[in-house]
Every structure is written in structure tokens, then in C-alpha cells.
Amino acid sequence: MLGFVISRLLQAIVVVFAMSIIVFVGVYAIGNPIDVMIDPGATAEIRENLIRQYGLDQPLWRQYITFLANVAQGDLGRSMVYNTSVTGLVFSRLPATLELVLVAITIATVIGIPAGIYAGYRPNSVASKAIMALSILGFSVPTFWIGMLLIMAFAVELGWLPSGGRGDEGTIFGISTSLATANGWSHVILPAINLSLFKMGLMIRLARAGMVEAMQTDYVKFARAQGLPDRQIVFSHVLRNISIPIVTVFGLELGSTLAFAVVTESVFNWPGVGKLIIDSILQLDRPVMVTYLILVVILFVIINFTVDIVYARLDPRVRLGGSK
């Protein structure tokens, strides 16, 4: 197991380094933020001073070396638009995104996996077909369109919930969060439902496919022949065997939900990292863009590493294969 962990850790380090080069070159080779930052009527001297101040007069490779040296010291630069530390700016928006993702993933998991298991257990029932139809809608309908429908229905027409923004904050175990107040929950529920629908559809289809396949295997037939009730067979045997792909996809989707909640945050004006990156792209705030993208890479690497370890614990064949 130790060899497997070390191997995956070395792979993770290589991936982060390679992606940092791709992200840095991709962002810094496109556009000129000075054109956005200064007035078109500014003098050439002001323009040159700004270019020199942000190091944009240096070759791209030297800018990357400077960036790596600053990162090694914990400095990810300063925002060109907000004139503040990029690290502080991103992490000030991160709690809002984490709240949204936590609620969305919980909704998708609590509803999606049991619904998928039931749909796989009774695949020909009317309820199963209805569940699969709803999962297709979750895949097919664009997120921004569903978000606008939710706002029209529950905020504008019914007036039950607010249309956007983040609610009042409270404290839970010393942590400030809007999930500690009723007003905060009223603000997060609509964007969380909107963000969870695609993930819920994926969980339903994945759990159903695994359930249908598992119920046709020999060990299930033998268990039934021994007189074991279906409830015991499902919870004691089937769930363990279908958990491996579910854990894998859950980890990947957790990362993608956290990284790409951009549309939902924009539709509901949620003050998270996704909204920040959209504003930064429009204003060519390079340090914020690079920091966000590299944090996304690190996030995916950490989640994939964790999923690999959990996968190896669930299926020893993976561990043995990775140590050869």
C-alpha cells in the first residue's frame, strides 16, 4: 500500500507542475490587461510604468520563473483590478462556493443514489421509468435555463425564496457560514438545487446501471437460493460491489462541481469563486485567473489521489496492480 501511495503522489506532483506551465502560458499569452486597466488617453510613459510594474516587459519564460519563485514563498501575486493579495481575494470568496457545493452534492447524493438503486432493483416499474425520465432531464436541460425557471417560479411568481445573493451569516463551531441561519438557507436552496440536477441525474444512472448488473450476478442468485431476504442481499453484498464506480465518479464530480459552479453563481449572483473568475476574465485580471485555475488543478489532483486511495481500499486488485 505504501508503494501505491508514493507512486500516486509522485504522479500528482508531475501533473501539477505540467499543468502550471500550460495554465500560465495559456493565460499570459492572450490579451493585454494594461489595455483594460488604463484610460485610452493615458500617456506612453504611464503605460510603460504599469507594464514594468507588473513585469510584463519580461520574456514569458522569465515571468514564469518569477511566478514559481513567488509561489514557493506563498505569494501568488496581487490582483490588477482589486489591488489586493490574490490569495486573500480567492479565499475570501471560497467559503460561499464551498457552501453551495456542499448543499448541492448532498442533495444529489441523498436523492440520486437511493433513487438509482430503486430504479435498478425494479427496472420495469412505473416509478423506475419516471426516475429515469427525470434523470434525462437533468442531463439535457441547460443549467442557466433551469436556474431562470427556478427564479421565475419560486422568487418572482410565488415569492417563497430570494432570487439571488448570499444570506445572513452565523457561526457553527467557530466557523462563519450562511448555513447557520434560516435566511442563509433560504438563499442557498435555489442555486443548490440548480447545481445538483446534473449530478443527481448522473448518480441515478450510475447507481441504476450498477444495480441492474449486480442483481444478475451469480452471488445474488446463490444468496437468494439460501433464503436471504432481498434487503440483506442489497445492503450487505450488492452495495459494496457497486460502490467502487460510485465513489470514483463522486470524487470527480465533487471536483467539477466546485470548479465549474460558474454558471449557477452567475445566474443567482452568488458571491463565490466562480463569479470572481468570470469578472476576472472580463477584466483580464491575470493573477486571479492563474491562481484560480491552478487551485482547480490542485483540487482535482487531491480529489483523484483520495479517490485512488479509497478505490485501493475497496478493491485490493488496484493496489496490487499499481505496485508492480
Side-chain angles (χ1 to χ4, degrees):
M1 187 65 181
L2 180 60
F4 177 81
V5 171
I6 293 175
S7 172
R8 288 295 188 270
L9 189 59
L10 292 175
Q11 292 176 15
I13 293 173
V14 171
V15 169
V16 170
F17 178 72
M19 288 304 300
S20 71
I21 296 176
I22 295 173
V23 166
F24 190 89
V25 172
V27 170
Y28 275 71
I30 299 174
N32 187 354
I34 301 301
D35 295 334
V36 179
M37 294 173 61
I38 64 175
D39 187 273
T43 64
E45 182 181 359
I46 295 176
R47 182 183 178 87
E48 290 175 3
N49 288 337
L50 270 177
I51 291 175
R52 194 178 306 110
Q53 175 183 341
Y54 288 104
L56 301 178
D57 57 333
Q58 302 293 326
L60 190 58
W61 65 268
R62 183 169 294 174
Q63 293 183 47
Y64 178 70
I65 296 298
T66 303
F67 170 76
L68 285 184
N70 291 335
V71 169
Q73 300 173 9
D75 180 15
L76 293 172
R78 296 186 67 84
S79 168
M80 295 178 175
V81 174
Y82 299 96
N83 193 29
T84 185
S85 168
V86 170
T87 305
L89 181 62
V90 171
F91 279 93
S92 69
R93 301 289 191 94
L94 190 58
T97 299
L98 289 175
E99 291 171 4
L100 178 60
V101 169
L102 176 63
V103 177
I105 285 293
T106 301
I107 293 173
T109 304
V110 170
I111 297 177
I113 293 180
I117 290 174
Y118 177 82
Y121 181 66
R122 299 188 181 278
N124 297 320
S125 66
V126 175
S128 173
K129 293 178 181 178
I131 289 171
M132 296 310 296
L134 290 175
S135 73
I136 293 174
L137 285 177
F139 273 113
S140 307
V141 182
T143 302
F144 71 88
W145 191 72
I146 295 178
M148 289 188 290
L149 286 182
L150 291 174
I151 291 174
M152 287 294 297
F154 294 100
V156 178
E157 296 296 332
L158 298 175
W160 291 353
L161 297 168
S163 61
R166 189 183 181 203
D168 299 334
E169 296 182 30
T171 57
I172 299 178
F173 302 115
I175 301 174
S176 179
T177 171
S178 64
L179 301 183
T181 65
N183 181 263
W185 276 101
S186 68
H187 280 79
V188 77
I189 193 66
L190 282 186
I193 290 174
N194 184 54
L195 186 60
S196 71
L197 290 179
F198 179 86
K199 314 302 177 186
M200 189 188 303
L202 180 62
M203 291 291 184
I204 289 174
R205 299 181 73 84
L206 187 64
R208 180 189 181 277
M211 192 70 181
V212 169
E213 182 180 357
M215 293 302 291
Q216 298 173 353
T217 56
D218 290 337
Y219 72 86
V220 172
K221 296 177 183 177
F222 290 146
R224 282 176 168 170
Q226 291 175 349
L228 294 179
D230 279 2
R231 179 184 295 272
Q232 183 178 347
I233 294 172
V234 170
F235 286 98
S236 299
H237 302 286
V238 174
L239 284 184
R240 179 177 176 83
N241 285 283
I242 69 174
S243 63
I244 294 176
I246 291 178
V247 167
T248 303
V249 174
F250 178 86
L252 296 176
E253 289 304 311
L254 175 62
S256 67
T257 306
L258 187 57
F260 305 119
V262 175
V263 175
T264 297
E265 290 188 359
S266 299
V267 170
F268 290 91
N269 196 30
W270 187 261
V273 180
K275 185 72 166 55
L276 174 65
I277 191 61
I278 288 294
D279 295 340
S280 299
I281 290 173
L282 294 176
Q283 297 168 327
L284 283 179
D285 196 348
R286 286 178 174 177
V288 176
M289 293 163 62
V290 170
T291 300
Y292 172 80
L293 293 174
I294 290 180
L295 286 177
V296 167
V297 170
I298 294 174
L299 171 69
F300 270 95
V301 167
I302 291 174
I303 289 176
N304 286 337
F305 178 75
T306 305
V307 168
D308 283 343
I309 301 303
V310 174
Y311 203 121
R313 296 292 299 176
L314 292 173
D315 188 351
R317 293 173 298 177
V318 175
R319 183 166 68 248
L320 294 173
S323 62
K324 291 180 180 179

